[in-house]
Amino acid sequence: MVIIMEKKLAIGVDIGGTSIKGAAITSEGKVLDVFSMPVIKGDSQEKVVNDLIKVINDYLKEHQYDKDNILGIGLGIPGSIDTSIGVVTYSNNLCWNELPIQEMVEKGTGLPVRIINDANAATYGEAKFGAGKKYKNLIMLTLGTGIGGGIIINGELYEGNLGKGAELGHVIMKLDGEQCSCGRKGCFEAYASATALIRDTKKMMELHPESKLGEVARKLGKIDARVAFEAERLGDECGHILVENYVKYLSEGLMNYFNIFRPEAVVLSGGVANEGEYLLSRVREYCEREHYGYGGTPKVDIITSELGYDSGKIGAAALFFK
Ligand code: BMX
Ligand code: ZN
C-alpha cells in the first residue's frame, strides 16, 4: 500500500493492439503499482473501454489509492485522436472509430481524463524524465508494430493540430512501395518498423531455406525482429543483407528528420531498438557517411530510450504534471 497525502499522482495508461498497461505515476516520473489487461481481437471498442474502466476502478481500490489524491488519467492511444473533444478518430490496429473515450472514462471513474497519441506520450515521458532530459530539441521514434513519432521543440511537445501530428512513420520512402497500415504505399513504417523487418525476414527464409534464419527462429520460438540480427551475428549472409537493408532505411528516414528539424538528439525505442549499440553504431556510421550535415558540429546524438516500455505510461500521466 502506498500512502501519499499530497495530490501528486496521476494514472498513466498505454493502450496497445494486444494489451493495455497502466500505473500510478508520481510527479517525479516514478512508476508505482502496475496493471494490465489483454485486448481481445473482435471485442467492440465500447467493451474494451468498459473493461478498462473496471480494471482502473478495481486497481485504485485494491491498492487503496484515494481518488481525491489522483490528479487524473492520461491515455496514450495509437492512431489519430482529437484532443479538443477527447475522441479517438481512427485507430487501424485497434479497429476503433469515432470513440468518445475521454468522456466514457471520465464518467466511469469520476476522474479527469486526457488523451494523447501513444508515441507522443512516449516522447513526452522520455523528454521529461528519460533519455531526452538534457535536450531541448529532439525527435523520438518507436520501432514496433508500427513506427510512432514524437517531436520536442524548444522543450515543448509539438502535437500538431488537435493532437494529430508527429506521425513520423507515415512519410513516403519509396513511391508505390510496400503497402502501409495507413493505406498509403511506401511509408517509412512499411520499411523500418519491426513488422517490416519480420516481413522481409519471412521472405528471405522462403528464398533461402539453407540460411541460418530458420534455425535462429526455431531457437527463439518465433520469427521476430531479433532473427535477422542474431543470424547476422552468427555470420549468416542472409541475416547480414536483412540488417544492412534495415539500417539503410532507418538511417535514410532519420536523415529526413535531421534535415527538417536538425534536432540535438533522436531517441529510438521499441523492439528493434533493443539491439542497442549493435544497431546504433551502424546507423551512426551510415549517417556520417551519407549526410552532409550530420558530420558537422554538433552531431545529432542517436540514442536509445531510458524508460523503455514505461515511457508511454509516464508521458501520458505527465500530462497532469504540466
Ligand atoms: C502507427 C499509428 C501511430 C502510432 C504508431 C506506433 C495507428 C493505429 N497507429 O503508425 O498513431 O503512434 O503506429 O504504434 O494508426 P505501435 O502500435 O507500434 O505502438
Ligand atoms: Zn503509412
Side-chain angles (χ1 to χ4, degrees), residues 82-304:
D82 181 338
T83 48
S84 72
I85 48 172
V87 166
V88 182
T89 314
Y90 176 65
S91 177
N92 56 322
N93 292 351
L94 289 159
C95 301
W96 287 2
N97 262 304
E98 302 301 333
L99 178 67
I101 193 168
Q102 183 174 318
E103 191 189 341
M104 288 172 78
V105 179
E106 274 178 353
K107 273 196 185 140
T109 62
L111 287 166
V113 172
R114 291 184 192 161
I115 66 170
I116 181 170
N117 169 269
D118 62 345
N120 283 340
T123 305
Y124 191 49
E126 274 313 319
K128 226 170 144 57
F129 301 108
K133 255 190 327 204
K134 61 176 183 175
Y135 303 103
K136 287 191 82 179
N137 295 287
L138 69 95
I139 297 295
M140 179 160 168
L141 296 173
T142 65
L143 308 169
T145 312
I147 291 188
I151 304 165
I152 302 282
I153 300 176
N154 288 331
E156 299 279 334
L157 180 71
Y158 178 80
E159 287 183 274
N161 204 3
L162 308 178
K164 290 182 188 298
E167 286 287 1
L168 302 181
H170 303 282
V171 296
I172 301 299
M173 299 289 289
K174 202 175 205 170
L175 281 182
D176 299 321
E178 294 282 352
Q179 182 63 51
C180 184
S181 64
C182 73
R184 297 173 82 198
K185 284 186 176 153
C187 289
F188 184 36
E189 174 170 306
Y191 291 95
S193 60
T195 308
L197 180 55
I198 292 167
R199 176 202 61 218
D200 292 347
T201 303
K202 285 181 178 163
K203 266 191 217 159
M204 189 69 98
M205 281 167 83
E206 269 172 34
L207 282 172
H208 293 282
E210 79 289 357
S211 72
K212 291 208 165 72
L213 295 168
E215 187 187 313
V216 173
R218 269 192 300 282
K219 256 190 211 147
L220 292 173
K222 60 177 172 182
I223 306 172
D224 64 17
R226 292 171 299 176
V227 172
F229 285 93
E230 195 49 35
E232 188 192 45
R233 279 190 279 265
L234 293 172
D236 183 64
E237 182 57 19
C238 290
H240 179 62
I241 293 168
L242 285 167
V243 174
E244 282 289 287
N245 188 55
Y246 184 81
V247 166
K248 180 174 179 172
Y249 272 102
L250 177 57
S251 306
E252 291 290 347
L254 290 186
M255 291 188 290
N256 287 339
Y257 301 125
F258 295 168
N259 284 345
I260 303 170
F261 299 103
R262 189 58 191 191
E264 294 156 52
V266 46
V267 181
L268 301 177
S269 77
V272 193
N274 290 338
E275 294 297 330
E277 279 305 307
Y278 187 81
L279 169 66
L280 262 49
S281 58
R282 305 260 284 272
V283 172
R284 289 188 199 112
E285 203 177 285
Y286 187 104
C287 293
E288 184 98 55
R289 193 173 66 236
E290 301 292 334
H291 192 254
Y292 65 90
Y294 176 73
T297 318
K299 276 189 189 163
V300 181
D301 287 346
I302 301 175
I303 54 178
T304 48

